[in-house]
Amino acid sequence: MTKIPMTTPLVEMDGDEMTRIIWQMIKDELICPYVDLKTEYYDLGLEHRNATDDKVTFDSAEATKRLGVAVKCATITPNAARMDEYDLKQMWKSPNGTIRALLDGTVFRTPITVAGIEPCVRNWTKPITIARHAYGDVYKNTELRVPGPGTVELVYTAADGTETRELVQKFDGPGIAQGMHNLDASIESFARSCFEYALDVKQDIWFATKDTISKKYDHRFKDVFQEIYDAEYAERFEAAGIEYFYTLIDDAVARVMKADGGFIWACKNYDGDVMSDMVSSAFGSLAMMTSVLVSPTGVYEYEAAHGTVQRHYYKHLEGKETSTNSVATIFAWTGALRKRGELDGLDDLVAFANRLEKATLDTIEAGEMTGDLARITTLPNPVTLSTRDFILAIAKRLEA
């Protein structure tokens, strides 16, 4: 059989633990039999990151800038236990965080919907995509435990030495305080990534903050989005037949619960962190969630939204059978292949990505699925398959 050709390589970022095992299975059984796969390979497994002093992570991000499309396996962000387990030189930072910062990107997470896995919110008939601004706010805060009576102030010292002071609170006794920040440049990149992605997928985009209460901090987000939309995107949105909609975050939550879906919901960092978990859980499973990092310059990096499935990996090392859901990792590959095909004008590659996704969903709808889905499906008498057998069942449908 003649394989589908590629002209430009994907950046391939390998990962850790059970997802690394699944990664190779997907390539061997679902992609390489049909596609003359071209990738520029980077091993982001924790052992190799440690051996290269994490240089490999930076190299993979630079390659993504150069080639435009990447696909990434789930990776370990080490804690103290991992320091001992892997004999690490230091507690290396999250690869996702490093890549996100280098690409100046925004993460878009979308549920993968399939018959038999029904959303908890009955009126959600179409996926809701969460766009999270993954910079600043409480995640880069400075905190202070106030031991007793005194004054806490925000102080800005300009380059010329002049000071601006704002009273935070006069404390009569013990308490707590924190300072947060964001950057206009980061907010602008967030806005452009959101607007570009909305045009790419042809969906409305909602944005929400609490600007009525946070009249400077949150209001700055609102203003930047509106200024960029009016200056750069209003005409393009009108031509595409899509809408940009701003509202308060509490109003957005109320509207989302009554909506039918099919839109992008852009959120500040903390809001996006919370709402992405709510949406993924309500739609069924984090293992049924796509994740794509999009830069304002149109660079794409696809990955699964979940972690490395550590518990299943340890079972695998013991020779025990696992039933690990590979759907999100499969869709990371299909997303990257589709985007590569779109950018390079390769219709056959785009069509293959669509066929592989359909074969995956058809397998589940036929009642063949991994254990996590079998426990929540509304389909009668589901068959629980092992990690490999599920991928082989998809391969059988893909071949047919």
Side-chain angles (χ1 to χ4, degrees):
M1 181 178 66
T2 303
K3 294 186 179 183
I4 298 166
M6 292 179 62
T7 53
T8 310
L10 295 172
V11 176
E12 178 186 352
M13 306 176 188
D14 211 342
D16 287 299
E17 297 189 318
M18 198 64 205
T19 45
R20 189 181 180 99
I21 305 298
I22 290 170
W23 191 261
Q24 193 61 48
M25 289 183 190
I26 291 169
K27 289 173 63 179
D28 291 344
E29 303 295 341
L30 302 179
I31 298 173
C32 290
Y34 305 96
V35 177
D36 185 13
L37 185 64
K38 288 181 168 58
T39 72
E40 193 168 301
Y41 179 85
Y42 294 87
D43 184 357
L44 266 57
L46 185 53
E47 290 174 325
H48 193 243
R49 278 184 276 144
N50 189 58
T52 63
D53 294 333
D54 207 29
K55 183 178 180 295
V56 65
T57 304
F58 291 82
D59 290 346
S60 70
E62 292 302 322
T64 304
K65 290 181 185 179
R66 173 167 43 85
L67 295 175
V69 184
V71 59
K72 180 182 174 296
C73 185
T75 47
I76 294 169
T77 299
N79 55 17
R82 298 294 202 171
M83 287 279 292
D84 295 335
E85 180 181 356
Y86 285 87
D87 191 23
L88 300 180
K89 300 173 186 176
Q90 66 180 68
M91 199 176 295
W92 304 109
K93 294 181 179 179
S94 160
N96 289 347
T98 298
I99 295 166
R100 189 162 54 231
L102 290 171
L103 297 184
D104 196 18
T106 295
V107 177
F108 297 84
R109 289 188 168 180
T110 308
I112 300 165
T113 55
V114 59
I117 309 298
E118 312 302 335
C120 297
V121 182
R122 289 173 295 176
N123 47 279
W124 285 359
T125 58
K126 293 173 285 189
I128 296 169
T129 297
I130 297 293
R132 175 185 171 189
H133 181 218
Y135 177 82
D137 299 349
V138 70
Y139 301 88
K140 283 187 174 290
N141 71 353
T142 298
E143 298 180 321
L144 179 67
R145 176 73 171 92
V146 178
T151 301
V152 173
E153 295 180 308
L154 278 177
V155 181
Y156 164 67
T157 306
D160 63 5
T162 58
E163 289 186 351
T164 303
R165 292 176 174 269
E166 293 285 349
L167 175 67
V168 175
Q169 178 68 21
K170 287 186 176 180
F171 285 83
D172 296 326
I176 48 177
Q178 72 170 345
M180 300 192 310
H181 81 280
N182 224 291
L183 305 173
D184 277 13
S186 182
I187 301 169
E188 290 164 5
S189 293
F190 176 41
R192 289 191 176 94
S193 293
C194 288
F195 292 139
E196 289 290 341
Y197 190 72
L199 287 167
D200 187 28
V201 299
K202 295 181 174 56
Q203 288 188 341
D204 293 345
I205 184 163
W206 298 12
F207 182 48
T209 71
K210 194 67 172 177
D211 67 276
T212 52
I213 301 301
S214 178
K215 298 181 185 297
K216 294 181 181 177
Y217 197 102
D218 278 26
H219 211 296
R220 186 60 187 147
F221 278 83
K222 177 186 178 183
D223 289 345
V224 167
F225 262 71
Q226 194 64 53
E227 289 164 6
I228 290 177
Y229 176 76
D230 291 341
E232 303 175 27
Y233 290 95
E235 292 182 2
R236 295 171 65 188
F237 267 54
E238 184 176 355
I242 58 176
E243 178 186 10
Y244 167 58
F245 172 68
Y246 176 82
T247 189
L248 295 171
I249 185 65
D250 45 345
D251 180 54
V253 171
R255 287 172 179 264
V256 163
M257 296 307 294
K258 294 182 179 180
D260 61 356
F263 57 87
I264 302 161
W265 183 9
C267 296
K268 289 173 55 202
N269 206 348
Y270 182 82
D271 296 336
D273 192 0
V274 175
M275 297 307 172
S276 64
D277 279 5
M278 180 194 74
V279 168
S280 65
S281 176
F283 270 97
S285 168
L286 196 59
M288 298 288 287
M289 195 92 168
T290 67
S291 181
V292 54
L293 176 69
V294 182
S295 83
T297 58
V299 172
Y300 290 76
E301 182 246 289
Y302 296 82
E303 62 178 333
H306 57 72
T308 58
V309 203
Q310 179 185 14
R311 182 172 57 86
H312 284 199
Y313 180 61
Y314 291 158
K315 286 181 65 176
H316 171 79
L317 292 180
E318 294 171 2
K320 297 178 181 177
E321 190 173 84
T322 65
S323 184
T324 313
N325 191 331
S326 54
V327 172
T329 306
I330 293 170
F331 273 62
W333 273 103
T334 57
L337 290 169
R338 183 186 297 108
K339 178 56 65 177
R340 186 77 276 164
E342 290 171 355
L343 293 176
D344 293 350
L346 302 175
D347 293 341
D348 286 349
L349 191 59
V350 173
F352 170 77
N354 294 337
R355 287 200 305 274
L356 178 49
E357 289 184 0
K358 185 177 187 304
T360 302
L361 299 181
D362 285 350
T363 301
I364 297 170
E365 291 177 358
E368 299 175 277
M369 61 193 73
T370 48
D372 61 318
L373 299 183
R375 287 188 289 272
I376 63 174
T377 185
T378 57
L379 296 175
N381 305 314
V383 177
T384 301
L385 299 177
S386 68
T387 305
R388 174 171 288 279
D389 285 346
F390 178 64
I391 290 174
L392 291 177
I394 297 169
K396 184 177 179 180
R397 281 179 172 78
L398 183 62
E399 184 180 9

